[in-house]
Amino acid sequence: MPKKTERRGIGSIYYSETHTAWVAELNLGKDGLTGKRKTIKRYFKGPETDKKIKREAEKKLAELIADHGRGVLSDPTKLTVNEWMDDHLKRRNSQDIVNVTRRANHYSVEYIKKHIGTLQMQQVQPYHLQQVLDAATRDYSHSSRMKILTAMRKGFQEAHALGVIAKNPMLQIQAPRAPRHAKKKGIAWTQKEVDLILAAATAQRMFPLWCLAFSTGARIGELQALKLQDLDLHTMRVQILRTVSGHGTTFNLPPEITEGKSSAAQRIVPLPENLKPILVQWLERRAADKREAGQLWQEHEWLFPTTLGTLTHYQTLYRNFRKVVQVTKVTPGTIHDIRRTYITLSIRAGVMPEVVAKLVGHSSIKITLEEYRKIQSDEVDEAAVKVAGIIRSVDEKGDLSLQSHYGAQMKKRPRTKKAI
């Protein structure tokens, strides 16, 4: 039982040994339907002897009483999942986390609200939450399901800690199992296949974009978001500062411009010299498109815009690249496999993995090696040739000198009779 130490009318301050925290509790009276006492609790973690934490709890109780008197304090028993998860998401995304995590949190919360958002927090039962996970199993991959599960766990755990709900319904929910024998996604084309792809792409308007993709390993969203000032043909550098997100995802959100997946995503990438004439011709073609469009042109300074100057949509690039892959009849792959190809071929060419990670904007070399680096079939054959020199005991006649020496030693060894 919690240890009561002070009471102040409709509110009380006490230390809870169960939660090892000082508690500021506001009494809202009894529920007209159930007859149960309604309260709002705020917890302040720390030892009972810490007077500073106790004063913080007292200050919070005074604020709760004042808010209750003005009628601005919401009844926690009437909070809906929509209202609570929105507040929880603001606090969670206010932490120092990367942009991709913020977006994943947002997507997960929106999915939860879509299914149980109208329910009051006190009404949510374990089977409601299980229904959300069952629906996610049909709609999304295992990684997306785990993100949704994490969002529900954190949201209801905080709601229980702050007294919004009396019992945490997530405690009975088990994590979904990962599919067995799941294969790593993605491929990496060989240099010959890359040559075939680029040769077939020369007829397309966005041929320079594909050349830049294979030369930098940049994400397709980063290439879409490039602006004219990001490209420096004098130093042959391209500055990647932003990306287009929201396209091609399982949540089907509209495109939006963000700062990138992480802080490492903003980078400067050197370009090969043989790419310069291709980019010069592209800038000339872009200027010609602008003149032909006339008043219909919308200047946003995109480096690879549409014929009207607007942002090139992902689906357009997806369809064009898919046609190229089908025509060349190379190993089927996606646009993102260009990134895997760049990483694989760069490492095979002798570039250090940590340098490749920096060039492609990975926050960790572990991502580069485990998620993107692919072992190609001809590498295995090359390895067999390279390691042939390890067995140096083979003489010119093809005999194993060590084995011959070992056999000679065995012949010299005298036989001994076994004792009967």
Side-chain angles (χ1 to χ4, degrees):
M1 293 293 292
K3 176 183 177 183
K4 300 284 179 126
T5 57
E6 289 188 21
R7 289 189 176 274
R8 293 185 178 180
I10 63 171
S12 61
I13 299 291
Y14 61 90
Y15 187 80
S16 172
E17 295 180 355
T18 304
H19 297 89
T20 62
W22 281 96
V23 184
E25 180 180 306
L26 179 67
N27 183 14
L28 299 177
K30 292 185 178 181
D31 191 303
L33 296 177
T34 63
K36 295 182 179 180
R37 189 167 62 95
K38 299 186 296 182
T39 61
I40 295 178
K41 299 179 182 179
R42 297 293 183 265
Y43 295 84
F44 299 84
K45 287 284 186 179
E48 184 177 3
T49 56
D50 195 329
K51 301 300 180 182
K52 183 178 179 180
I53 297 178
K54 180 182 177 183
R55 286 193 296 270
E56 291 178 1
E58 292 173 343
K59 182 179 177 180
K60 187 61 179 180
L61 177 62
E63 293 176 358
L64 292 174
I65 294 174
D67 290 342
H68 180 63
R70 295 195 303 269
V72 298
L73 191 63
S74 59
D75 186 350
T77 61
K78 297 180 180 180
L79 276 177
T80 64
V81 175
N82 277 335
E83 295 170 337
W84 171 254
M85 292 304 293
D86 283 339
D87 291 339
H88 168 72
L89 181 63
K90 290 178 182 178
R91 288 188 293 272
R92 192 175 173 195
N93 277 355
S94 64
Q95 302 173 4
D96 186 17
I97 55 179
V98 296
N99 293 329
V100 65
T101 304
R102 287 192 178 92
R103 291 198 297 273
N105 294 341
H106 172 74
Y107 301 153
S108 302
V109 167
E110 288 299 318
Y111 189 81
I112 296 168
K113 289 164 55 179
K114 175 183 175 182
H115 287 80
I116 59 173
T118 58
L119 292 177
Q120 293 183 357
M121 289 292 291
Q122 296 281 11
Q123 296 175 334
V124 177
Q125 298 297 321
Y127 70 86
H128 292 131
L129 304 176
Q130 188 61 54
Q131 286 179 339
V132 176
L133 286 179
D134 291 343
T137 302
R138 296 189 299 268
D139 299 337
Y140 302 134
S141 64
H142 177 71
S143 60
S144 297
R145 295 198 301 270
M146 291 303 297
K147 291 174 183 177
I148 294 172
L149 175 68
T150 301
M152 286 197 297
R153 277 180 174 172
K154 289 184 177 295
F156 282 89
Q157 182 180 5
E158 185 184 41
H160 180 253
L162 297 180
V164 176
I165 53 178
K167 185 178 179 180
N168 186 359
M170 280 300 300
L171 296 179
Q172 286 78 31
I173 304 299
Q174 299 293 328
R177 287 187 176 183
R180 302 182 68 179
H181 308 297
K183 295 182 179 180
K184 292 178 66 177
K185 295 182 178 180
I187 61 156
W189 289 294
T190 63
Q191 185 61 59
K192 292 182 179 179
E193 290 178 319
V194 172
D195 295 338
L196 291 174
I197 291 173
L198 291 178
T202 53
Q204 292 190 358
R205 179 174 177 270
M206 284 297 173
F207 170 68
L209 183 143
W210 304 127
C211 291
L212 192 61
F214 277 107
S215 301
T216 61
R219 303 174 180 91
I220 189 64
E222 294 171 340
L223 297 176
Q224 287 177 267
L226 285 177
K227 294 197 172 185
L228 290 172
Q229 60 267 28
D230 297 330
L231 176 64
D232 189 347
L233 291 178
H234 296 289
T235 60
M236 288 303 290
R237 296 281 192 278
V238 63
Q239 192 173 17
I240 298 176
L241 301 175
R242 65 196 76 83
T243 187
V244 178
S245 60
H247 57 69
T249 64
T250 53
F251 297 94
N252 296 321
L253 294 178
E256 60 174 331
I257 309 300
T258 63
E259 295 180 353
K261 293 189 69 174
S262 64
S263 57
Q266 297 186 353
R267 61 200 186 276
I268 297 177
V269 183
L271 303 177
E273 285 295 329
N274 59 357
L275 193 59
K276 187 171 185 178
I278 298 176
L279 293 175
V280 170
Q281 291 179 5
W282 168 253
L283 293 177
E284 293 175 353
R285 179 166 184 172
R286 184 187 185 279
D289 290 340
K290 182 177 181 179
R291 289 193 299 269
E292 292 177 7
Q295 295 182 352
L296 297 177
W297 181 267
Q298 301 178 35
E299 185 56 77
H300 298 287
E301 297 186 347
W302 302 122
L303 180 59
F304 297 103
T306 64
T307 53
L308 297 179
T310 57
L311 182 71
T312 301
H313 201 275
Y314 171 81
Q315 293 299 330
T316 302
L317 298 174
Y318 169 79
R319 287 192 296 268
N320 291 344
F321 189 75
R322 187 178 181 181
K323 290 179 182 178
V324 171
V325 174
Q326 290 176 346
V327 169
T328 55
K329 297 182 180 179
V330 297
T331 307
T334 65
I335 292 179
H336 201 64
D337 289 325
I338 298 177
R339 185 170 171 84
R340 296 186 176 93
T341 300
Y342 172 83
I343 292 173
T344 299
L345 295 182
S346 297
I347 295 178
R348 289 193 62 179
V351 183
M352 297 296 290
E354 54 267 29
V355 177
V356 176
K358 184 176 180 62
L359 289 173
V360 298
H362 281 160
S363 58
S364 171
I365 189 177
K366 184 178 180 181
I367 300 174
T368 307
L369 293 176
E370 293 186 3
E371 301 296 331
Y372 284 84
R373 171 67 164 105
K374 301 296 179 180
I375 304 300
Q376 298 176 323
S377 58
D378 59 330
E379 285 187 88
V380 180
D381 297 332
E382 291 179 3
V385 175
K386 291 179 180 178
V387 301
I390 294 178
I391 309 177
R392 299 183 179 180
S393 58
V394 181
D395 58 21
E396 295 180 355
K397 296 180 181 180
D399 295 330
L400 290 176
S401 57
L402 284 179
Q403 183 177 347
S404 302
H405 176 72
Y406 178 74
Q409 293 294 327
M410 290 296 293
K411 291 179 181 179
K412 293 180 181 179
R413 189 176 298 176
R415 292 187 178 184
T416 57
K417 293 183 180 181
K418 293 183 179 180
I420 299 176

